[in-house]
């Protein structure tokens, strides 16, 4: 008892809880982590012990650890990992390697230093990846306060470098005396220049009996055959288009992935990256002489990939649905008149156009993708073209779709180039390598691309999206890069007719002025006319004024409450249907479709024979596939696994109202197209005779002569002049008042 007689205060621990200790020293931290890996269990299952063993048997030296489990085991440890991950991760990897050694060779006494050392040589180092449920940080929230902490950011991978090998241990040999030295590569686990810039030792470190040997300066050579290397890859992550504030450029950040995290993603994938927010000295700043300026990057410790099909909700990265939500969605799908109700909820503040809204509802859900045994893919996405007068709320519908679709990109035709829509080849400033950057249609993979002002695009840019609309791929062969990118998107395009407004007097071909190749790729083409009708105008005026006066009860033409389904619920419901349902045709529906397609082709043939010209909007096998896709999307909307007859009937009705309606409009003045063409050829002959090359006359005198005196219809004269102007036989000047004959 004599030890206690000294004049000191002694304390005895009452609560013996060794694992709740705060990690004091690195060795203490490592011991806690080792205990966690060996002792943490859920129920009767030691999950990390079993996982580690299974991975080692597969020769995968990697272990994924959930941060939530660490916080349940020891809260202090979890906080330490979040605050200083760069210090603790190497310790964690050492602990995991020791744990693997204990699990795989339990009989060996690990306290024996020699045995432990030899065993550690045989067991490779384990990589730890940390999955966590931290709050997602946006790119703009990455500030100096988050430096060197663990962060979790969502985004789209826009480019991925080739894999390169970084030395982890260098084996050095002196060239004069042969002395061997091994050094760990600067940077440890680090990514882009994470460590010091020390380089190799300048002098030989071997000593002889009489002191230092006479070796020259810089004697060491690297023996590559005996050094060890690890894979590394640089990725570029950009924030998703729907997170960028208006008027700002999308931001991007470099990611450095190593070992088992490399080669996981391709450009265009949406990911959530967990990593350490660090900095590196870029060569740009080095040359500029700014010593303290360093460029930030993310050292990746975990990558979550998200499939586009499951995307939706406020978090566009693979949303999970709770059982209550699934139950609610199933009830919604079974409710009476749900299809009508959903269509009315599309752009509820826009009056009327119910059929267009129904078509847009079909586009949001899409049909079923099919993969054939011979490797062909049939697209399931629906493309819609809205062609019509200004002021018919086309752009507003596009803006609504951008908000409601789980993944959407909005572009305007005039400001979009072919490279901006598909993909561009860029050159990396530092490594001088070429890499691919995806455009709008690659970023919207699995979603919708809304293209406004489709008619204002240059023809060569419009041709670039042909392949993306039908084959749903984008092929690139530029600067030695030959590759194929996915663009599984629906296209919703809005355009004005050639003359600004739709001209009833002309055929659809003259009004639309798009190539047949692009028109056949649209499943539905709507011609939206601004008709003058007193009761309709009065209803529209009342509706618009209600909206401007902020009245909550916005009603449509039937007096029903329009905005029945909230936007967020619509978005989640679309994501749910896309991920859960892929309807197929029933035999009855199949029979009905085939007979209907034959009838459609006969109608078109008869129309072309009557009008003596090919239809500008073709009805091809693509249009049959379009009706199939519309039927499938109608079935998907109500979560029905099989396409029934009533789905096909509605699909045919929508198709007739849109594309077939666009084909058949346009015989004016009671003339058939054949009679009109005959009249036009007579006017053309007369005009060529009356107006020699180089002469000019006023437009009014032509109208007087042909319409008033000779009794031709004004419509035929208009069309003849339009055709001759296209052929560059005549030219108008002075606001179409004077006609010049310029060609033969």
């Amino acid at each position: 008892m004599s030890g206690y007689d000294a004049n000191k205060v002694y304390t005895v621990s009452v609560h013996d809880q060794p694992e709740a200790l705060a990690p004091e020293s690195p060795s203490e931290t490592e011991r806690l982590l080792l205990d966690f890996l060996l002792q943490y269990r859920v129920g009767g299952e030691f999950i990390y012990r079993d996982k580690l063993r299974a991975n080692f048997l597969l020769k995968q030296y990697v272990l994924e650890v959930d941060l939530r489990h660490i916080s349940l085991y020891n809260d202090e440890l979890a906080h330490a990992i979040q605050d200083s991950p760069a210090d603790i991760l190497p310790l964690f990897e050492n602990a995991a390697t020791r744990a693997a050694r204990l699990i795989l060779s339990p009989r060996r006494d690990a306290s024996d230093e020699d045995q432990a050392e030899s065993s550690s040589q045989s067991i490779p180092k384990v990589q730890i990846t940390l999955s966590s449920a931290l709050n997602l940080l946006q790119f703009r929230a990455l500030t100096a306060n988050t430096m060197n902490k663990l962060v979790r950011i969502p985004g789209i991978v826009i480019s991925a470098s080739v894999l390169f090998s970084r030395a982890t241990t260098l084996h050095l040999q002196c060239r004069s005396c042969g002395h061997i030295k091994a050094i760990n590569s600067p940077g440890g686990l680090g990514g882009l220049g994470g460590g010091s810039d020390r380089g190799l030792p300048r002098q030989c470190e071997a000593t002889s009996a009489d002191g230092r040997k006479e070796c020259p300066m810089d004697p060491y050579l690297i023996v590559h055959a005996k050094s060890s290397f690890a894979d590394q890859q640089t990725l570029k992550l950009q924030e998703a288009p729907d997170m960028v504030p208006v008027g700002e450029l999308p931001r991007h950040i470099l990611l450095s992935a190593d070992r088992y995290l490399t080669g996981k993603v391709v450009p265009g994938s949406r990911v959530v990256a967990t990593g350490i927010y660090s900095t590196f000295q870029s060569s740009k700043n080095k040359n500029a002489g700014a010593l303290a300026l360093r460029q930030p990057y993310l050292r990746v410790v975990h990558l979550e990939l998200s499939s586009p099909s499951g995307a939706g909700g406020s978090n566009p990265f693979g949303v999970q649905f709770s059982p209550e939500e699934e139950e609610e969605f199933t009830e919604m799908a079974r409710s009476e008149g749900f299809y009508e109700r959903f269509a009315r909820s599309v752009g509820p503040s826009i009056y009327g156009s119910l059929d267009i809204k129904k078509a847009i509802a079909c586009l949001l859900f899409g049909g079923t993708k099919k993969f054939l045994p011979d490797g062909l893919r049939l697209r399931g996405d629906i493309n819609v073209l809205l062609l019509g007068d200004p002021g018919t709320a086309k752009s507003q519908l596009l803006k609504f779709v951008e908000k409601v679709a789980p993944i959407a990109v909005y572009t305007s035709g005039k400001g979009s180039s072919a490279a901006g829509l598909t993909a561009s080849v860029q050159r990396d400033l530092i490594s001088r390598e070429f890499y691919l950057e995806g455009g709008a249609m690659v970023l919207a993979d699995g979603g919708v691309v809304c293209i406004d002002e489709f008619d204002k695009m240059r023809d060569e840019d419009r041709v670039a999206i042909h392949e993306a609309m039908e084959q749903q791929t984008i092929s690139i062969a530029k600067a030695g890069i030959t590759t194929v990118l996915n663009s599984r998107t629906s296209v919703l395009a809005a355009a004005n007719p050639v003359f600004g407004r739709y001209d009833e007097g002309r055929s659809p071909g003259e009004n639309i002025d798009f190539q047949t190749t692009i028109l056949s790729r649209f499943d539905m083409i709507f011609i939206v006319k601004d008709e003058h009708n007193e009761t309709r105008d009065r209803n529209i005026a009342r509706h618009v004024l209600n909206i401007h006066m902020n009245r909550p009860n916005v009603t449509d033409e039937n007096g029903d409450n329009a905005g029945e389904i909230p936007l967020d619920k619509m978005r989640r419901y679309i994501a749910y249907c896309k991920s859960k349902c892929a309807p197929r045709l029933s035999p009855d529906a199949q029979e009905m479709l085939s007979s209907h397609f034959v009838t459609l082709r006969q109608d078109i043939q008869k129309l072309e024979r009557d009008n003596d010209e090919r239809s500008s909007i073709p009805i091809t096998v693509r249009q049959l596939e379009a009706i199939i896709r519309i039927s499938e999307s109608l079935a998907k909307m109500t979560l029905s696994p099989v396409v029934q007859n009533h789905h096909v009937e509605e699909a045919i009705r929508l198709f007739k109202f849109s594309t077939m309606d666009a084909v058949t409009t346009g015989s004016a003045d009671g003339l058939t197209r054949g009679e009109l063409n005959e009249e036009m050829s007579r006017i053309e002959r007369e005009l060529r005779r009356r107006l020699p090359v180089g002469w000019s006359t006023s437009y009014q005198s032509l109208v007087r002569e042909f319409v008033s005196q000779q009794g031709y219809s004004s419509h035929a004269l208009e069309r003849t002049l339009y055709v001759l102007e296209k052929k560059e036989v005549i030219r108008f000047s002075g606001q179409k008042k004077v006609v010049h004959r310029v060609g033969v």
Side-chain angles (χ1 to χ4, degrees):
M1 291 295 285
S2 61
Y4 288 105
D5 293 340
N7 192 12
K8 289 181 183 175
V9 177
Y10 290 91
T11 59
V12 177
S13 167
V14 181
H15 302 289
D16 189 24
Q17 283 182 310
E19 67 268 12
L21 288 171
E24 297 292 336
S25 63
S27 56
E28 179 71 19
T29 310
E30 197 173 316
R31 194 186 61 73
L32 281 173
L33 289 165
L34 181 65
D35 288 351
F36 164 74
L37 288 173
L38 293 175
Q39 295 173 12
Y40 184 78
R41 64 170 188 251
V42 176
E45 187 185 359
F46 291 89
I47 48 177
Y48 291 113
R49 211 192 283 183
D50 299 348
K51 229 193 252 185
L52 202 55
R53 189 189 183 94
N55 285 0
F56 261 76
L57 292 175
L58 292 171
K59 298 232 175 340
Q60 287 186 339
Y61 308 113
V62 60
L63 178 68
E64 185 175 318
V65 179
D66 196 332
L67 204 55
R68 282 173 296 190
H69 293 166
I70 301 179
S71 65
L72 287 171
Y73 184 79
N74 182 335
D75 208 21
E76 295 275 351
L77 199 57
H79 280 298
I81 289 177
Q82 282 181 32
D83 289 338
S84 52
D87 301 336
I88 294 185
L89 270 175
L91 300 175
F92 210 157
E93 301 201 339
N94 292 343
T97 314
R98 276 175 61 191
R101 194 184 310 141
L102 290 168
I103 291 164
L104 294 174
S105 49
R107 286 187 303 282
R108 191 170 278 173
D109 183 11
S111 63
D112 184 349
E113 282 301 313
D114 299 333
Q115 281 188 338
E117 193 56 43
S118 65
S119 172
S120 74
Q121 293 302 317
S122 62
I123 287 181
K125 191 148 189 183
V126 181
Q127 181 180 7
I128 294 285
T129 64
L130 281 177
S131 70
S132 71
L134 292 172
N135 288 340
L136 288 181
L137 272 181
Q138 297 309 331
F139 277 67
R140 289 151 208 280
L142 292 175
T143 55
N145 301 336
T146 52
M147 193 61 70
N148 299 324
K149 294 200 169 38
L150 202 64
V151 294
R152 193 159 166 257
I153 53 172
I156 299 177
V157 177
I158 54 172
S159 71
S161 74
V162 290
L163 290 188
F164 49 90
S165 299
R166 186 173 57 76
T168 48
T169 312
L170 285 175
H171 187 93
L172 306 179
Q173 187 171 9
C174 174
R175 64 184 132 188
S176 63
C177 67
H179 171 247
I180 288 171
K181 173 181 172 61
I183 61 167
N184 282 335
S185 149
L189 183 88
L192 304 158
S196 66
D197 302 326
R198 252 196 346 242
L200 306 180
R202 303 288 313 264
Q203 290 182 334
C204 178
E205 294 179 8
T207 53
S208 61
D210 58 342
R212 187 173 295 282
K213 273 193 179 176
E214 291 305 312
C215 291
M217 286 287 278
D218 294 331
Y220 283 114
L221 295 171
I222 300 171
V223 184
H224 286 278
K226 293 184 179 175
S227 305
S228 55
F229 298 91
D231 287 331
Q232 191 163 1
Q233 186 181 25
T234 316
L235 310 170
K236 203 171 183 186
L237 193 74
Q238 180 181 302
E239 55 187 329
D242 43 354
M243 299 174 195
V244 184
V246 177
E248 299 235 6
L249 283 173
R251 302 212 176 158
H252 51 252
I253 188 171
L254 287 172
L255 308 186
S256 165
D258 64 337
R259 293 174 287 177
Y260 286 93
L261 288 168
T262 56
K264 281 276 183 72
V265 292
V266 293
S269 351
R270 291 183 170 237
V271 296
V272 178
T274 310
I276 308 166
Y277 189 52
S278 328
T279 60
F280 72 100
Q281 181 83 46
S282 79
S283 54
K284 272 191 304 191
N285 291 344
K286 250 182 212 167
N287 303 340
L291 291 174
L293 272 184
R294 295 176 77 85
Q295 199 170 329
Y297 78 101
L298 198 71
R299 218 165 86 194
V300 182
V301 295
H302 188 252
L303 277 178
E304 282 170 65
L305 273 167
S306 61
S307 61
S309 58
S314 55
N315 164 19
F317 299 94
V319 149
Q320 302 298 317
F321 301 100
S322 63
E324 297 82 26
E325 206 170 16
E326 293 198 18
E327 210 169 287
E328 184 192 359
F329 287 156
T330 318
E331 275 177 31
M332 266 169 67
R334 288 198 192 124
S335 62
E336 191 65 38
F338 174 72
Y339 163 56
E340 299 277 339
R341 187 174 148 217
F342 192 93
R344 279 201 305 275
S345 304
V346 174
S349 57
I350 297 164
Y351 177 84
S353 328
L354 193 59
D355 279 323
I356 295 176
K357 290 181 179 182
K358 285 178 177 174
I360 287 174
C362 292
L363 169 130
L364 286 168
F365 287 94
T368 310
K369 288 187 188 65
K370 298 176 188 72
F371 298 94
L372 305 184
D374 59 355
L376 281 179
R377 280 197 323 195
L378 296 179
R379 71 178 162 106
D381 296 299
I382 294 171
N383 302 324
V384 176
L385 172 66
L386 306 178
L387 183 100
D389 298 342
T392 46
K394 298 188 297 297
S395 301
Q396 294 287 38
L397 277 169
L398 263 65
K399 278 288 184 192
F400 179 83
V401 170
E402 185 205 4
K403 287 191 179 63
V404 81
I407 295 174
V409 175
Y410 179 93
T411 80
S412 177
K414 191 68 180 161
S416 306
S417 65
L421 280 169
T422 53
S424 57
V425 175
Q426 305 282 348
R427 185 172 225 161
D428 189 5
L429 292 173
I430 300 163
S431 66
R432 308 296 293 156
E433 276 182 5
F434 286 109
Y435 64 90
L436 271 182
E437 271 196 11
M441 298 195 86
V442 178
L443 295 184
D445 189 19
V448 185
V449 176
C450 303
I451 307 177
D452 207 352
E453 307 289 353
F454 196 59
D455 53 319
K456 313 290 188 301
M457 285 171 76
R458 295 198 300 274
D459 280 346
E460 55 268 30
D461 295 341
R462 210 180 292 138
V463 167
I465 64 173
H466 276 182
E467 180 194 358
M469 283 177 73
E470 189 60 46
Q471 275 69 42
Q472 302 218 306
T473 55
I474 288 166
S475 310
I476 293 284
K478 286 179 193 168
I481 295 178
T482 313
T483 183
V484 175
L485 301 170
N486 278 329
S487 67
R488 294 158 296 195
T489 62
S490 305
V491 176
L492 175 60
N496 296 113
V498 181
F499 309 100
R501 288 187 71 114
Y502 195 87
D503 188 342
E504 296 287 354
R506 300 174 196 274
S507 69
E510 290 169 2
N511 270 303
I512 293 174
D513 194 33
F514 285 145
Q515 292 175 343
T516 309
T517 46
I518 196 110
L519 287 177
S520 71
R521 285 171 165 78
F522 282 107
D523 299 341
M524 287 186 268
I525 299 169
F526 283 93
I527 290 179
V528 194
K529 294 177 194 161
D530 186 9
E531 290 161 353
H532 299 282
N533 173 339
E534 192 182 339
T535 51
R536 185 169 175 275
D537 292 350
R538 188 167 282 131
N539 288 339
I540 289 179
R542 189 182 304 124
H543 178 83
V544 170
L545 288 167
N546 274 345
I547 290 169
H548 279 274
M549 290 166 71
N550 285 334
R551 293 198 186 150
N553 56 340
V554 179
T555 56
D556 61 6
E557 57 240 79
N558 303 333
D560 299 332
N561 192 16
E564 292 189 33
I565 306 174
L567 198 87
D568 196 42
K569 190 180 283 184
M570 276 171 86
R571 184 192 285 180
R572 289 184 72 86
Y573 182 71
I574 292 166
Y576 178 74
C577 290
K578 277 187 149 183
S579 59
K580 289 284 188 288
C581 190
R584 287 295 156 112
L585 288 170
S586 64
D588 295 353
Q590 187 182 344
E591 184 57 44
M592 193 168 165
L593 273 168
S594 59
S595 60
H596 182 78
F597 177 67
V598 175
T599 325
L600 275 185
R601 292 278 288 193
Q602 283 170 350
D603 292 351
I604 290 291
Q605 191 184 3
K606 180 172 177 294
L607 193 75
E608 286 179 348
R609 218 175 26 243
D610 287 351
N611 291 337
D612 195 23
E613 65 175 6
R614 292 298 298 269
S615 161
S616 58
I617 302 173
I619 301 295
T620 61
V621 180
R622 277 185 181 154
Q623 274 54 47
L624 171 62
E625 288 186 346
I627 304 175
I628 296 170
R629 279 192 288 270
I630 300 163
S631 322
E632 286 168 351
S633 71
L634 289 166
K636 191 188 282 189
M637 208 180 294
T638 54
L639 291 174
S640 159
V642 179
V643 177
Q644 305 293 350
N645 282 7
H646 62 274
H647 294 138
V648 176
E649 281 165 14
E650 174 61 18
I652 290 169
R653 189 192 71 76
L654 271 178
F655 184 78
K656 275 191 167 164
F657 179 80
S658 56
T659 312
M660 283 304 289
D661 191 41
V663 174
T664 50
T665 51
S667 59
D669 296 351
L671 296 171
T672 65
R673 200 67 58 79
E675 290 169 8
L676 189 64
N677 285 347
E678 198 178 313
E679 196 171 339
M680 278 172 60
S681 56
R682 286 209 303 274
I683 292 176
E684 187 178 340
R685 278 201 302 276
E686 191 77 22
L687 200 73
R688 282 175 186 273
R689 189 179 58 74
R690 182 194 175 295
L691 199 64
V693 179
W695 286 47
S696 58
T697 179
S698 74
Y699 178 72
Q700 282 305 319
S701 64
L702 287 179
V703 173
R704 224 178 12 255
E705 187 175 329
F706 285 97
V707 180
S708 311
Q709 294 168 17
Q710 299 186 26
Y712 291 114
S713 68
S714 58
H715 171 55
L717 176 66
E718 275 279 323
R719 278 199 60 179
T720 312
L721 291 174
Y722 168 74
V723 171
L724 288 176
E725 189 189 13
K726 284 272 188 225
K727 289 181 184 173
E728 294 186 355
V729 174
I730 60 168
R731 182 169 55 80
F732 288 111
S733 70
Q735 296 177 341
K736 286 201 170 185
K737 285 180 183 163
V738 184
V739 181
H740 302 269
R741 172 86 187 272
V742 288
V744 289

